[in-house]
Amino acid sequence: MKELISLYGGTVLLMKELILLYVGTVLLMYLSQVYAPSTVQRNDGRLYRDPPARCRTDVFMLIVIGWMAGFMFLRTSYNDTHNYILNFQRAKTIPEYLSSLTWGSWTDNPLSSLYTSVIRSFTDNYHVYFLFPALLNCCAVVRLCKRYSVNPAFSMAIFFSIGTYLLCTAALKQCCAIGVLMLALPYAVDKKYGRFYALVAVAVLLHTYALMFAIVPFLNGKPWSRKTWVGLAVVLFCMLTYNSTLGVIMEHLGSIGIDISEGELFDGHGINPLRVVVYWTPAAIALIFRDRLFRDSTPAEDLLVNISIASGFILTIGLAQAANLFARMAAYFEVATVIVLPWMVRKLFTRKSAQFVTICASVLYFGYFFYENAINTQFEYNYGAITLWEFIGQLFV
């Protein structure tokens, strides 16, 4: 027992910066909610019963954005960080890169490569290279939570717990694409599809898998209607016939220039079932309480719930194989979970009961966060960073 306590005590100590970021940003979003509530927070948790006010960025949100972005762009190691540093150091000049572009290059993340060349032409400091994607992503998610979530503090806890933040920290190209898609989501909610698809196109040029987000306008309608059940049937069919079905899909994607390596699709590694259960939480609640939740729900609420369900469906396919691939694909949709779960709690319970349920859910989500990052992947042993003062010093060398 002493050894076990020592092990977990040491793990908590090693993860102290990440835990401090988690708790600190949740507290700051709570203060933002208390002192500068948005329309949805003043409107008893209903989206667009009143004309929406513009989301204003208050001082608490600015601190959250800066803190989260700093943790991302000051890193020196974590997951794919080393490869991104090498690519940055070896980047082509802008004229060299532009001259190498062809029509088929749209599937090779050309905007990401162009961004790399542009930053490299000004500096050899890779932290500057990491800075702008971090700001884009963090600003987008914080503003999205403030604008749509009935409880931004709870939303921020979910955002960290399900791993979206650390995925964006690990994968720079996907970080950029997810940030752009979070900017596109309000246009889908408002049914301004021209602007929505324009931003989706930008995201696709940053990371090809963002093309999946183009299905969002087709996810309108009441959750767990015929459309949802058809989607679930497709997921189960893909799982049962994984080798043949995904092989055919890979061939079709290859014919239009989207290259998914066979080793990535058939890697023999399935997703942890616990993670699938966590992703399925909003979908399960929506199914069990669909009458109470959606009897008088707005189209915006319905759409966001359906997007959250889609993330669970995509991740479920990863139970068969390709854990990393389907986890990254699901990441494009999982931000909806951050918004809809607090809304579900608010609508299903009285205000006092909702507070108690939110606390219990937050404890469970934090437990999952701790398990994933302290026990399952040992985050602290893989992450390294410089201080902000060291970064500022580098700029003047």
Side-chain angles (χ1 to χ4, degrees), residues 76-97:
T76 56
S77 62
Y78 180 62
N79 201 283
D80 287 340
T81 296
H82 178 67
N83 292 329
Y84 280 111
I85 293 172
L86 287 179
N87 289 336
F88 175 69
Q89 293 171 340
R90 299 169 181 172
K92 297 178 181 178
T93 64
I94 297 175
E96 287 174 343
Y97 176 69

Side-chain angles (χ1 to χ4, degrees), residues 255-278:
S255 67
I256 61 174
I258 300 177
D259 182 30
I260 300 178
S261 70
E262 188 172 344
E264 189 175 18
L265 198 57
F266 302 102
D267 63 357
H269 300 291
I271 285 175
N272 185 340
L274 177 61
R275 186 173 186 181
V276 177
V277 170
V278 171

Side-chain angles (χ1 to χ4, degrees), residues 47-67:
L47 295 182
Y48 291 177
R49 277 296 175 88
D50 296 328
R54 186 175 180 180
C55 178
R56 296 176 180 174
T57 305
D58 56 64
V59 64
F60 303 109
M61 294 168 65
L62 287 174
I63 297 172
V64 171
I65 292 168
W67 196 353

Side-chain angles (χ1 to χ4, degrees), residues 334-389:
E334 65 194 29
V335 69
T337 297
V338 170
I339 298 169
V340 301
L341 195 55
W343 170 77
M344 289 177 172
V345 172
R346 172 71 71 85
K347 192 166 185 180
L348 290 173
F349 299 93
T350 62
R351 185 174 291 273
K352 190 171 182 179
S353 296
Q355 292 175 349
F356 175 74
V357 172
T358 298
I359 292 171
C360 292
S362 298
V363 171
L364 290 173
Y365 269 106
F366 181 79
Y368 175 71
F369 162 82
F370 185 82
Y371 164 77
E372 273 293 316
N373 298 293
I375 301 171
N376 194 33
T377 60
Q378 295 185 317
F379 165 84
E380 188 67 23
Y381 290 105
N382 300 311
Y383 177 86
I386 62 172
T387 67
L388 179 60
W389 307 118

Side-chain angles (χ1 to χ4, degrees), residues 165-238:
Y165 175 74
L166 288 180
L167 171 65
C168 293
T169 301
L172 184 140
K173 289 185 287 189
Q174 193 162 4
C175 172
C176 292
I178 290 175
V180 172
L181 293 179
M182 283 192 282
L183 296 178
L185 184 56
Y187 292 120
V189 171
D190 295 340
K191 301 186 186 301
K192 297 178 180 178
Y193 296 130
R195 297 179 184 181
F196 170 78
Y197 279 115
L199 286 173
V200 169
V202 172
V204 170
L205 295 177
L206 288 165
H207 195 266
T208 312
Y209 295 171
L211 183 62
M212 294 185 60
F213 208 70
I215 70 170
V216 163
F218 300 96
L219 298 178
N220 283 297
K222 294 297 179 183
W224 291 108
S225 60
R226 182 183 301 175
K227 191 185 299 184
T228 310
W229 289 106
V230 169
L232 180 59
V234 170
V235 168
L236 295 176
F237 177 78
C238 288

Side-chain angles (χ1 to χ4, degrees), residues 124-158:
D124 60 356
N125 189 323
Y126 62 83
H127 294 291
V128 176
Y129 173 53
F130 293 156
L131 171 62
F132 298 103
L135 287 173
L136 167 66
N137 188 276
C138 296
C139 184
V141 70
V142 170
R143 288 178 57 82
L144 201 66
C145 289
K146 185 60 183 286
R147 180 174 180 179
Y148 289 112
S149 177
V150 303
N151 189 338
F154 186 25
S155 291
M156 190 57 59
I158 298 170

Side-chain angles (χ1 to χ4, degrees), residues 15-80:
M15 278 193 60
K16 64 183 183 300
E17 282 127 7
L18 182 60
I19 293 175
L20 182 61
L21 175 67
Y22 181 115
V23 175
T25 53
V26 169
L27 176 60
L28 287 165
M29 290 302 286
Y30 172 75
L31 294 174
S32 174
Q33 176 183 342
V34 170
Y35 292 104
S38 67
T39 301
V40 68
Q41 289 139 37
R42 294 193 303 265
N43 197 29
D44 198 31
R46 300 310 307 273
L47 295 182
Y48 291 177
R49 277 296 175 88
D50 296 328
R54 186 175 180 180
C55 178
R56 296 176 180 174
T57 305
D58 56 64
V59 64
F60 303 109
M61 294 168 65
L62 287 174
I63 297 172
V64 171
I65 292 168
W67 196 353
M68 290 171 62
F71 198 86
M72 293 173 74
F73 86 85
L74 293 173
R75 72 188 186 275
T76 56
S77 62
Y78 180 62
N79 201 283
D80 287 340

